[in-house]
């Protein structure tokens, strides 16, 4: 009856008896007859998209945001009219009134900004964006629509094309207005013409079982978004948070096949079952063989003729690669020959679910492969990445730090052409420790794949030097200083260096190991015989027919250079390791993890697979690349103290500004110091000491005149503070309500202890920092205080720097702590090392115990 009333009312509208209000249909009637109008209004898109069913058909209106609402309402009116039957047009018939009727002005269409239609319709002169984003109900004749704004939507689901038993499937979805935790998943399977049956798996990830072999799998996703108020009225992280959901979407796989007979990590993964912890850092470098090199005719018929084409298929290999990487539980993963599509659609989202942050750099030129790096997000965050593009660096005129190469390039058109075309890049990825108090330190990791040609050793030398030079320039950059201040990060250099020792150490290896290379090294001679013929992407992986050689008489004037690096490096993998590249035509070690010996040592190298384990050349059914992964556990060198001198003050100031904890000498004891207005830094101090948060910290300032910035001193006689400080005294005073101190500094306590130590180093650090430092003794809670740096050696690695001022003697018991908040009574909270002298000064000003 309610629906008949609505239709009757709509009829009255059509007859002109009512035009301004919809006053008959009740809210309860609306619930019986409402349809849905879905509105998509994304801030990055120019249009509003309205999807609804009109006259029995789903219509999609794509309207400009700034257009008047009247226009979209008019299009809906037109859509409400069923199209008339097509009539054959008579010749010279100009009367098309029957075929194209005028807009149906008599149909009532209106928007309302509440769930009830009792109010006034929305003004049609406002913009589409304003109107549709505020609308709650759309009335079209006798039909009411709930207007759903930005409904959670899933646009596509990607699944591996070759599902295999034992290899997890993780759908990669593209959603809009949805939250990952609010989406729901459901896995099903079927064989042949059977019906789909539930696998009773409602997680996003599913690993096919033996019983799934030969079945198709289907995953259904219902996109969702959490509402602002939990269903139980609890907090935002309540498990009962309400959510709204959108239309489901499903994706099907091909039939599940059998995986390889065994894992390529069978012998190695048992050695890496646990994640590493500081001071260890597990690193992988791995050339994973780009699909564009594995799928060429030459690769299939010549280079990898021993490998069944089924196992060269990237859809097969990428799943083995991911499983191998994850089984090592690494902290830093450097990959080369990564297909751009494999990174974006597979590796990056899969690794993200496993807790890794990833970055990719495509090679310069037309190839669609490059280098990628993944970092375990619980240990490091990627602060930024700089790409070293070789073809840009070696374009004349050269930058100042590479200018000495100019004569070689000027004298050889062939070398210039080669360097202009080779697409080699190096990544320099800046890693910032998530929690420096656990010991992890700033780190820059280089990742590269040097030019492959066997007769281009001179080019690889130039590329290696240019990468290290780029790191040296980075150390002076403002961008790096904004992340680490004056603290210099450690450096690691990983990748496929295409250099070995089979015919004597290549120049690249000598350059890194010795920190320099002489102009007479044999590798320089190749500059006279090498000639470029084709773009790199067409000649990778041994496809070298287009690169020519000159005779020995060509470019005789070319000569080498004396190169010098700012440091030496060591390789984690011994140079005499038999192979990291193992094919039918070539076996050698080409892949390395280089580190500075003053920063790291090698804890262990995960052994390379034996030839028996390989079972022949790779790639194969079991090993997915022609290279093997290099996996190393490095160990941070123990942090050594720095002399507390004037030259080390800038680095100390920089560390404090970057939320770091530093250990410093004072006039009484060694202390731990941080920015007193930095909550994270303060929490780190408590973590290092193992101290309860209800034990307060004092603050340290540069001068006695700074005390009034943080404490109430109006009741103190003039000159008192200046006579007590600097010195071995801590004054406890009322804390100013507007003092620039963190809320995490002694919460719930109205007073604060303040010091000005009689020690120039810490005072200059305070002065350079321009604020107060939170200060406490450098020891674990409950242990004896420290008067020399060796007394607290067990926490050195949890500090960003330890400044050594030698033995602190003559003052035992720490500072004297007195409460002078209420004149003239002095409360002695700790007698310390200067009680008598302190009471003597206070007595002169009329204070007493």
């Amino acid at each position: 009856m309610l629906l008949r009333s609505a239709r009757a009312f709509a009829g009255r509208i059509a007859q002109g008896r009512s035009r301004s209000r919809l006053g008959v249909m009740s809210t309860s009637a609306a619930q019986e007859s409402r349809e849905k109008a879905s509105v998509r209004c994304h801030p990055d898109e120019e249009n509003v998209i309205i999807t609804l069913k009109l006259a029995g058909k789903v219509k999609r209106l794509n309207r400009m945001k700034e257009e008047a609402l009247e226009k979209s309402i008019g299009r809906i009116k037109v859509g409400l009219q069923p199209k008339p039957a097509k009539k054959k047009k008579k010749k010279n018939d100009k009367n098309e009134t029957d075929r194209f009727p005028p807009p149906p002005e008599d149909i009532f269409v209106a928007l309302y900004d509440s769930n009830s239609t009792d109010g006034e319709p929305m003004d049609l002169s406002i913009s589409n964006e304003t109107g549709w984003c505020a609308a709650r109900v759309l009335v079209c004749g006798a039909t009411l629509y709930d207007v759903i704004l930005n409904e959670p939507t899933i646009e596509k689901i990607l699944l591996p094309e070759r599902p295999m038993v034992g290899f997890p499937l993780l759908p990669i979805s593209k959603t809009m207005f949805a939250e990952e935790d609010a989406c729901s998943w459901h896995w099903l399977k079927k064989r042949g013409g059977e019906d789909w049956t539930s696998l009773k798996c409602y997680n996003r990830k599913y690993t096919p079982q033996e019983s799934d072999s030969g079945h198709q799998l289907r995953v259904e996703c219902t996109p969702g978004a959490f509402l602002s108020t939990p269903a139980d009225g609890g907090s935002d992280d309540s498990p009962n948070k309400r959510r709204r959901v959108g239309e489901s979407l499903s994706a099907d796989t091909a039939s599940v096949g059998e995986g390889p007979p065994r894992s390529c990590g069978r012998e190695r993964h048992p050695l890496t079952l646990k994640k590493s912890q500081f001071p260890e850092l597990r690193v992988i470098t791995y050339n994973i063989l780009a699909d564009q090199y594995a799928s060429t005719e030459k690769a299939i018929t010549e280079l990898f003729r021993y490998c069944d084409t089924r196992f060269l298929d990237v859809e097969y290999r990428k799943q083995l690669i991911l499983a191998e990487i994850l089984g090592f539980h690494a902290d830093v993963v450097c990959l080369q020959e990564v297909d751009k599509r494999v990174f974006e659609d597979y590796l990056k989202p899969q690794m993200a679910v496993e807790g890794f942050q990833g970055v990719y750099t495509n090679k310069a030129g037309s190839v669609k492969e490059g280098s990628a790096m993944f970092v375990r997000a619980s240990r490091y965050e990627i602060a930024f990445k700089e790409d070293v593009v070789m073809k840009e660096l070696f374009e004349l005129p050269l930058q100042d730090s590479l200018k000495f190469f100019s004569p070689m390039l000027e004298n050889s058109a062939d070398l210039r052409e080669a360097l202009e075309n080779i697409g080699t890049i190096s990544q320099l990825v800046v890693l910032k420790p998530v929690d420096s108090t656990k010991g992890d330190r700033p780190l820059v990791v280089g990742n590269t794949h040097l030019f492959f040609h066997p007769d281009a050793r001179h080019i690889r030398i130039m590329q290696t030097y240019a990468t290290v030079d780029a790191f040296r320039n980075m150390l002076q950059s403002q961008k790096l200083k904004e992340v680490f201040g004056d603290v210099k990060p450690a450096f690691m250099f990983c990748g496929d260096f295409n250099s070995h020792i089979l015919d004597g150490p290549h120049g690249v290896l000598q350059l890194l190991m010795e920190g320099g290379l002489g102009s007479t090294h044999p590798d320089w001679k190749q500059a006279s015989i090498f000639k470029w013929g084709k773009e790199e992407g067409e000649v990778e992986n041994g496809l070298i027919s287009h690169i020519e050689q000159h005779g020995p008489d060509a470019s005789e004037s070319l000569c080498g250079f004396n190169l010098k690096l700012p440091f030496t490096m060591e390789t984690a993998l011994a140079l005499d390791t038999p192979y990291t590249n193992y094919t039918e035509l070539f076996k050698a070690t080409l892949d390395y993890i280089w580190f500075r010996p003053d920063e790291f040592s090698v804890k262990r190298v995960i052994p390379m697979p034996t030839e028996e384990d390989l079972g022949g050349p790779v790639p194969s059914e079991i090993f997915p690349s022609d290279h093997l992964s290099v996996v190393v556990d490095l160990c941070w060198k123990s942090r050594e103290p720095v002399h507390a001198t004037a030259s080390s003050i800038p680095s100390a100031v920089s560390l404090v500004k970057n939320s770091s904890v530093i250990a410093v000498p004072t006039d009484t004891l060694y202390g731990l110091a941080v920015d007193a207005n930095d909550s994270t830094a303060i929490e780190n101090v408590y973590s290092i000491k193992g101290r309860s948060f209800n034990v307060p910290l004092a603050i340290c300032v540069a001068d006695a005149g700074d005390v009034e910035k943080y404490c109430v001193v109006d009741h103190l006689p003039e000159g008192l503070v200046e006579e007590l400080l600097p010195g071995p005294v801590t004054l406890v005073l009322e804390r100013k309500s507007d003092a620039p101190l963190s809320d995490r500094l002694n919460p719930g306590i109205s007073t604060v202890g303040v010091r000005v130590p009689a020690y120039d180093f810490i005072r200059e650090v305070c002065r350079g920092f321009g604020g107060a430092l939170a200060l406490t003794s450098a020891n674990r809670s409950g242990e004896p205080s420290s008067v020399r740096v060796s007394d607290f050696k067990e926490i050195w690695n949890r500090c960003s720097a330890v400044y050594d001022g030698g033995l602190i003697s003559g003052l035992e018991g720490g500072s004297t702590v007195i409460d002078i908040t209420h004149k003239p009574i002095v409360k002695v909270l700790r007698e310390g090392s200067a009680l008598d002298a302190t009471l003597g000064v206070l007595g002169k000003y009329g204070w007493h115990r």
Side-chain angles (χ1 to χ4, degrees):
M1 184 176 73
L2 289 169
L3 185 56
R4 286 198 298 271
S5 298
R7 288 173 176 162
F9 180 71
R12 292 198 300 274
I13 294 173
Q15 296 170 23
R17 288 196 289 266
S18 176
R19 304 286 300 184
S20 62
R21 290 174 61 88
L22 184 62
V24 172
M25 182 171 250
S26 67
T27 302
S28 59
Q31 301 301 322
E32 294 185 14
S33 58
R34 283 185 179 180
E35 300 273 359
K36 181 176 77 172
S38 179
V39 176
R40 169 169 154 175
C41 186
H42 194 281
D44 296 334
E45 296 175 348
E46 294 182 352
N47 289 5
V48 177
I49 300 172
I50 306 106
T51 305
L52 72 169
K53 185 180 287 187
L54 297 173
K57 292 188 176 181
V58 175
K59 302 288 185 180
R60 181 183 170 96
L61 282 69
N62 200 332
R63 312 301 299 181
M64 295 291 290
K65 288 180 179 178
E66 65 270 20
E67 176 186 73
L69 182 61
E70 181 181 23
K71 296 289 187 180
S72 56
I73 294 297
R75 294 304 303 170
I76 290 174
K77 288 184 178 182
V78 172
L80 284 168
Q81 291 295 307
K83 290 185 177 180
K86 290 185 178 180
K87 293 198 311 185
K88 188 175 180 181
K89 183 178 178 182
K90 294 181 181 179
K91 213 170 187 179
N92 300 323
D93 183 3
K94 295 182 180 180
N95 186 359
E96 298 184 357
T97 303
D98 292 338
R99 296 182 64 244
F100 297 100
E105 297 291 345
D106 56 344
I107 296 180
F108 183 83
V109 178
L111 279 175
Y112 292 83
D113 57 8
S114 68
N115 290 322
S116 170
T117 57
D118 294 336
E120 291 288 339
M122 296 179 73
D123 184 354
L124 297 182
S125 66
I126 63 176
S127 69
N128 277 324
E129 181 177 19
T130 301
W132 286 105
C133 287
R136 294 294 176 267
V137 174
L138 169 68
V139 177
C140 295
T143 305
L144 270 69
Y145 297 78
D146 285 315
V147 178
I148 309 298
L149 176 65
N150 293 339
E151 182 178 45
T153 305
I154 182 164
E155 299 182 343
K156 69 175 180 180
I157 300 175
L158 296 177
L159 286 167
E161 296 176 14
R162 286 182 59 174
M164 298 184 293
V165 172
F167 285 79
L169 297 175
L170 181 76
I172 305 304
S173 58
K174 181 180 180 182
T175 61
M176 187 170 287
F177 312 118
E179 300 171 55
E180 183 175 323
D181 292 344
C183 296
S184 58
W185 301 85
H186 183 203
W187 288 88
L188 307 97
K189 73 175 182 178
K190 77 168 185 174
R191 185 195 293 270
E194 299 173 357
D195 292 335
W196 291 100
T197 60
S198 174
L199 286 165
K200 300 192 184 312
C201 175
Y202 302 97
N203 299 319
R204 182 179 175 188
K205 182 189 290 188
Y206 177 71
T207 302
Q209 308 298 306
E210 286 288 351
S211 58
D212 299 324
S213 182
H215 290 74
Q216 269 188 287
L217 300 180
R218 168 174 287 180
V219 64
E220 295 177 347
C221 178
T222 303
F226 290 117
L227 299 175
S228 57
T229 306
D232 60 0
S235 63
D236 286 344
D237 57 359
S238 164
N240 298 318
K241 284 193 294 187
R242 295 186 301 163
R243 65 188 185 116
R244 61 190 186 117
V245 299
E247 300 286 340
S248 297
L249 184 70
S250 64
D252 300 345
T253 69
S255 294
V256 176
E258 294 295 328
R262 63 179 175 86
S263 164
C264 66
R266 180 183 66 179
E267 306 297 329
R268 305 170 83 199
H269 283 168
L271 303 176
T272 58
L273 294 177
K274 294 182 179 180
K275 299 174 186 176
S276 65
Q277 294 180 332
F278 182 86
E280 294 178 16
L281 187 74
R282 186 167 299 148
V283 183
I284 296 176
T285 188
Y286 194 5
N287 181 323
I288 64 174
L289 180 58
D291 180 50
Q292 58 190 286
Y293 307 138
S295 59
T296 64
E297 183 67 23
K298 189 174 182 69
I300 293 171
T301 59
E302 295 182 35
L303 297 177
F304 307 130
R305 62 187 179 183
Y306 50 83
C307 182
D308 191 310
T309 55
R310 292 176 299 164
F311 309 132
L312 288 176
D313 179 9
V314 70
E315 290 297 321
Y316 177 86
R317 292 192 303 110
K318 71 183 185 183
Q319 296 182 72
L320 272 63
I321 290 166
L322 178 67
E324 181 182 2
I325 292 170
L326 293 177
F328 289 123
H329 296 101
D331 301 301
V332 178
V333 180
C334 296
L335 304 178
Q336 305 84 41
E337 282 195 34
V338 182
D339 293 285
K340 183 177 182 180
R341 181 178 60 84
V342 170
F343 174 82
E344 292 177 347
D345 294 343
Y346 187 71
L347 288 177
K348 184 179 182 181
Q350 298 273 355
M351 292 290 281
V353 169
E354 300 296 334
F356 288 86
Q357 185 181 3
V359 289
Y360 171 84
T361 304
N362 202 85
K363 283 183 177 176
S366 60
V367 296
K368 297 299 180 186
E369 61 96 355
S371 297
M373 190 181 304
F374 293 96
V375 179
R376 187 175 296 281
S378 61
R379 290 193 69 170
Y380 281 98
E381 63 175 284
I382 296 176
F384 65 90
K385 169 178 71 78
E386 285 190 3
D387 298 325
V388 184
V389 184
M390 300 301 170
K391 65 194 307 183
E392 295 177 1
L393 281 183
F394 288 107
E395 182 178 353
L396 291 172
L398 302 182
Q399 65 185 38
D400 289 346
S401 59
L402 301 176
K403 197 162 276 185
F404 61 88
F405 284 121
S406 295
M408 178 182 279
L409 272 68
E410 291 166 354
N411 291 330
S412 174
D414 294 324
L415 181 59
R416 288 200 306 275
E417 183 180 8
L419 292 172
E420 288 169 2
N421 285 278
I422 293 171
T424 301
I425 55 91
S426 291
Q427 294 178 311
L428 291 177
V429 183
V430 179
L431 305 183
K432 183 177 182 180
V434 172
D435 184 356
S436 60
T437 65
K438 293 182 179 177
D440 285 323
R441 304 168 198 170
L443 176 64
V444 174
V445 181
N447 181 25
T448 196
H449 182 192
L450 299 183
F451 184 47
F452 75 98
H453 194 277
D455 294 321
R457 299 184 192 176
H458 61 302
I459 291 178
R460 289 192 285 278
I461 291 170
M462 296 170 72
Q463 292 174 340
T464 301
Y465 183 89
T467 302
V468 176
D469 183 66
F471 169 69
R472 177 167 45 190
N473 293 334
M474 174 186 278
L475 291 179
Q476 309 304 319
S477 70
Q478 182 61 34
K479 192 172 184 180
L480 191 74
K481 289 183 179 180
E482 290 173 358
V483 178
F484 299 131
D486 291 326
V487 178
K488 303 302 183 186
F491 181 57
M492 187 187 303
F493 196 8
C494 307
D496 178 352
F497 289 80
N498 274 309
S499 302
H500 54 78
I501 63 169
L502 296 183
D503 49 359
H506 286 197
V508 165
L509 307 181
Q510 186 172 328
L511 175 64
L512 292 171
M513 287 188 299
E514 298 181 7
L517 189 70
S519 60
T520 60
H521 192 281
D523 286 5
W524 288 120
K525 295 180 180 179
Q526 294 188 334
S528 299
I529 63 174
F530 181 81
K531 182 179 180 181
W532 179 259
K534 277 283 185 177
E535 199 276 331
E536 176 188 3
E538 299 177 46
V539 295
E540 185 63 90
N541 277 289
L543 310 183
I544 60 176
S545 58
H546 297 294
I547 294 185
E548 304 169 4
Q549 294 181 18
H550 282 281
D553 296 332
S555 304
E556 288 288 352
S557 60
L558 298 184
C559 60
F561 300 93
N562 290 311
L563 300 182
K564 183 69 176 175
L565 299 182
F567 44 74
T568 62
M569 303 193 79
E570 292 183 5
T571 170
L573 193 66
L575 291 179
D576 60 358
T577 300
Y579 48 76
T580 62
N581 180 244
Y582 195 92
T583 67
E584 191 174 65
L585 302 175
F586 184 76
K587 300 175 183 65
T589 291
L590 304 176
D591 309 272
Y592 302 89
I593 296 171
W594 296 90
F595 60 91
R596 293 180 57 175
D598 58 331
E599 296 170 341
F600 290 100
S601 61
V602 178
K603 176 77 172 180
R604 65 171 178 167
V605 176
I606 305 305
M608 302 300 292
T610 64
E611 291 189 281
E612 181 181 3
D613 192 32
L614 290 174
V618 294
S620 65
E621 182 180 8
I622 294 170
F623 291 87
S625 174
D626 57 335
H627 287 248
L628 302 168
S629 56
V630 177
V631 187
V632 174
D633 283 346
L634 297 177
C635 189
W636 283 101
K637 288 287 183 73
S638 178
R639 192 182 300 284
E640 295 299 320
V642 178
H643 289 300
T645 61
S647 62
S648 55
I649 289 170
S651 67
V653 170
S654 179
L655 286 168
V656 171
K657 288 181 177 179
N658 281 278
S659 303
S660 298
V661 180
I662 60 174
V664 293
T666 74
D667 53 352
T668 56
L669 303 167
Y670 277 89
L672 301 179
V674 296
D675 178 359
N677 200 21
D678 187 319
S679 299
T680 300
I682 290 169
E683 290 173 359
N684 288 341
V685 167
Y686 280 98
S687 174
I688 291 173
K689 286 183 67 71
R691 186 177 191 173
S692 170
F693 274 96
N694 61 13
V695 179
L697 300 178
I699 65 171
C700 170
V701 295
D703 298 289
D706 296 328
V707 174
E708 64 181 6
K709 298 177 184 177
Y710 305 92
C711 304
V712 176
V713 296
D714 298 344
H715 63 297
L716 299 180
E718 185 177 350
L720 174 61
V721 173
E722 287 76 10
E723 193 163 346
L724 290 171
L725 303 175
V729 183
T730 300
L731 305 181
V732 176
L733 295 161
E734 286 290 335
R735 173 173 169 170
K736 280 189 171 180
S737 59
D738 59 350
L741 299 172
S742 168
D743 292 340
R744 293 294 289 160
L745 182 77
N746 312 334
I749 300 175
S750 63
T751 57
V752 64
V754 59
R755 286 210 65 200
V756 180
Y759 201 97
D760 288 343
F761 181 80
I762 189 170
R763 293 181 65 193
E764 289 301 322
V765 172
C766 284
R767 191 170 289 117
F769 172 59
L773 301 180
L775 186 66
T776 185
S777 57
N779 60 331
R780 294 193 188 277
S781 185
E783 295 183 357
S785 298
S786 304
V787 294
R788 55 176 66 84
V789 291
S790 59
D791 292 342
F792 59 98
K793 190 171 183 176
E794 70 277 7
I795 63 173
W796 282 4
N797 282 331
R798 299 195 66 184
C799 302
S800 294
V802 177
Y803 295 96
D804 187 355
L807 175 66
I808 299 172
S809 60
L811 294 174
E812 298 182 359
S815 66
T816 296
V817 183
I818 57 169
D819 183 335
I820 52 173
T821 54
H822 300 290
K823 185 179 180 180
I825 303 301
V826 179
K827 292 182 181 179
V828 178
L829 304 181
R830 184 176 70 193
E831 292 188 358
S833 58
L835 178 60
D836 291 341
T838 301
L839 292 177
V841 171
L842 287 164
K844 288 166 47 179
Y845 289 88
W847 290 68
H848 57 85
R849 297 177 75 168

